[in-house]
Amino acid sequence: MATPWTPHLSPDCDECERRPSVPGEPCPPHAPHELVRPLSAGEVELLRGDFPALHQEVHGRPLVYLDSAASAQTPQAVIDAMVRVYARDYSNVHRGVHALSERATAAFEAARAKVQRFLGARYAREIVFTRGATEAINLVASSYGRQHLRPGDEVVISEMEHHSNIVPWQMACEAHGAVLKVCPFDDAGELRFDELERLVGPRTKVLSLVHVSNALGTVNPVRRAVELAHAVGAVVLLDGAQAAPHLEVDVQALGCDFYAVSGHKLFGPTGVGVLYGRAELLEAMPPYQGGGDMIKSVTFAKTTYADLPAKFEAGTPHIAGVIGLGAAVDYLERVGVERAAAYEHELLGYAEAALGEVPGLRFIGRAREKAGVVSFALEGIHPHDIGTILDREGVAIRTGHHCAQPVMQHYGVPATARASLAFYNTRGEIDALVRALHKVREVFA
């Protein structure tokens, strides 16, 4: 069998996100270095040993965890890193002169350097630690919005956004008199790029777009979107919460201005995330929150602010969480993001073929480029009932609107069942999901 490649890793071409040498011509053959060998079944089995939570029974059955789009499981290396912080190095960062504070500060800033490398940022100061991707987007909507949005300006998002990339922009538009424009997607779950080209114009100040949809798994052509927005002088924020754990991300290659990442979807802890921002933009933006560690000096007459990234990191941060996130980055790099993505791509194909044999199953979203998310409905059965019965079979999936209610409205459903994959999932677990869905149908027959 030919070695597969992962087309979403070089986002430039209409067909495979790679730029053709001649416009209109098919994409040229891929260079050997772009061929990716997926993780083997044996390697996956070894990697599963790194995740203690995967090795337990639920309701007397082996756990099948297919909810990584909500929260990915945590490898022992990340747990150990956080335990070391609390057991040995715990102290506040940046301000103490004693040994523990110096050790904690060194580990904290080492994590920033790891994230910088992982995302391909130019400078460590372009990496701002936040409580999550949601806070990262709110930071930009609040700070950049306050500085640049004026009445009549436009912010463009898409119909497939998570609520965290809708509500902050609604709030910013309401505050500054700007207009929110929404680009639709088609029934396959693909962004209507022709509509995006129509919507992005001289009044557009911000394009904020999800890189990978949490509800549909769609991988959006973000490089083309960045070029489109930059051509009219708009800045681009990409919500990478679902992309960073499953695609190789290079913010410089993508050309985006801001990129938001969530720690707990990246096999790290909850309560921590990342905002990448181009240094020149972040330096010009006003602080998002005020407090300790984000100032140079304070008097009752005037406060001057610290340099990047401290300006945006007011108060004591999630110290152990940041260090744990750094350990998660280390772990992912040891696994190999490209090989993990290639394996997940294969597993997704297997899952869609197997689920397609379940009577009455309707896929919600069949985009050509997808990450490891399968949303579906079973005829006549509410998704919450599907999820409850699957749980009794030991299979953990997510049911609901996935904080993406406009996506549900597009398909005319209140909710979907969603199985989401990571590199630690197996074909055997997909088979268990299919058996459990047949059980659901038996119960409701």
Side-chain angles (χ1 to χ4, degrees):
M1 186 177 71
T3 302
W5 51 280
T6 47
H8 43 268
L9 299 178
S10 301
D12 282 311
C13 169
D14 287 349
E15 296 299 321
C16 67
E17 305 245 275
R18 191 168 182 273
R19 185 178 296 283
S21 55
V22 179
E25 291 289 316
C27 181
H30 294 83
H33 72 274
E34 289 183 300
L35 297 176
V36 178
R37 182 169 59 87
L39 295 172
S40 69
E43 288 173 313
V44 169
E45 200 56 41
L46 286 173
L47 290 170
R48 286 176 61 83
D50 295 336
F51 293 83
L54 297 179
H55 307 284
Q56 60 179 299
E57 291 190 346
V58 173
H59 305 302
R61 298 177 183 276
L63 171 66
V64 174
Y65 189 78
L66 297 171
D67 196 20
S68 294
S71 284
Q73 289 299 334
T74 311
Q76 189 64 50
V78 173
I79 298 170
D80 290 344
M82 297 179 70
V83 167
R84 278 197 300 275
V85 173
Y86 284 115
R88 180 176 178 273
D89 299 330
Y90 181 71
S91 182
N92 214 319
V93 293
H94 297 147
R95 283 157 284 187
V97 296
H98 54 80
L100 267 62
S101 181
E102 289 179 353
R103 290 206 301 258
T105 300
F108 188 92
E109 292 304 325
R112 196 187 308 275
K114 293 172 185 177
V115 173
Q116 175 204 346
R117 184 183 67 242
F118 184 72
L119 294 180
R122 290 174 300 169
Y123 313 113
R125 68 179 191 275
E126 295 181 319
I127 303 300
V128 177
F129 289 121
T130 64
R131 289 182 298 163
T134 296
E135 187 177 56
I137 296 169
N138 273 274
L139 192 164
V140 178
S142 175
S143 176
Y144 190 87
R146 176 153 49 104
Q147 189 178 46
H148 292 280
L149 290 182
R150 298 291 180 269
D153 288 342
E154 295 175 355
V155 174
V156 178
I157 60 174
S158 85
E159 188 186 11
M160 69 174 75
E161 301 303 322
H162 187 282
H163 294 167
S164 61
N165 202 26
I166 300 174
V167 181
W169 294 112
Q170 286 177 327
M171 295 166 67
C173 287
E174 288 171 4
H176 305 295
V179 178
L180 189 68
K181 300 280 188 176
V182 181
C183 179
F185 61 85
D186 63 22
D187 288 345
E190 296 185 344
L191 190 72
R192 288 279 307 277
F193 208 89
D194 58 330
E195 286 293 317
L196 190 67
E197 289 174 325
R198 186 181 64 79
L199 288 170
V200 172
R203 290 183 179 274
T204 306
K205 291 293 183 282
V206 178
L207 171 62
S208 193
L209 189 65
V210 67
H211 193 168
V212 173
S213 163
N214 72 310
L216 304 172
T218 304
V219 181
N220 279 318
V222 292
R223 177 63 182 269
R224 291 174 62 202
V226 168
E227 291 177 354
L228 178 67
H230 282 178
V232 298
V235 299
V236 180
L237 183 149
L238 298 178
D239 174 1
Q242 299 293 340
H246 304 291
L247 309 180
E248 189 178 40
V249 172
D250 183 328
V251 291
Q252 291 189 72
L254 291 173
C256 60
D257 302 287
F258 303 101
Y259 199 91
V261 174
S262 176
H264 67 108
K265 301 182 195 303
L266 198 67
F267 309 95
T270 57
V272 65
V274 171
L275 172 68
Y276 156 79
R278 283 201 292 122
E280 53 269 36
L281 292 175
L282 292 177
E283 284 166 350
M285 288 162 54
Y288 167 56
Q289 297 173 326
D293 212 27
M294 51 78 72
I295 55 88
K296 286 181 177 173
S297 67
V298 175
T299 69
F300 286 115
K302 183 176 177 58
T303 294
T304 57
Y305 304 119
D307 296 328
L308 293 177
K311 182 172 71 172
F312 294 110
E313 294 181 351
T316 297
H318 185 0
I319 299 166
V322 166
I323 295 170
L325 178 59
V329 167
D330 285 340
Y331 181 82
L332 265 175
E333 289 182 335
R334 287 198 298 274
V335 171
V337 175
E338 285 183 289
R339 293 194 63 208
Y343 171 76
E344 290 171 8
H345 191 72
E346 283 189 345
L347 191 63
L348 175 66
Y350 182 82
E352 289 186 330
L355 290 169
E357 299 297 320
V358 177
L361 188 143
R362 171 195 172 198
F363 289 108
I364 306 295
R366 298 299 301 270
R368 288 168 295 181
E369 294 300 331
K370 286 185 64 176
V373 169
V374 186
S375 281
F376 59 91
L378 274 183
E379 185 179 8
I381 305 173
H382 195 282
H384 288 175
D385 293 327
I386 298 173
T388 300
I389 295 174
L390 259 58
D391 176 59
R392 302 300 298 184
E393 298 296 312
V395 179
I397 65 166
R398 178 55 57 96
T399 61
H401 54 61
H402 317 298
C403 296
Q405 287 184 332
V407 173
M408 304 301 116
Q409 291 157 11
H410 178 103
Y411 289 102
V413 296
T416 73
R418 182 189 72 185
S420 54
L421 312 176
F423 60 82
Y424 45 58
N425 291 124
T426 67
R427 292 191 176 200
E429 291 182 316
I430 300 301
D431 295 340
L433 168 64
V434 170
R435 288 195 298 272
L437 287 173
H438 283 294
K439 179 80 172 182
V440 173
R441 290 193 54 81
E442 289 173 15
V443 170
F444 283 89

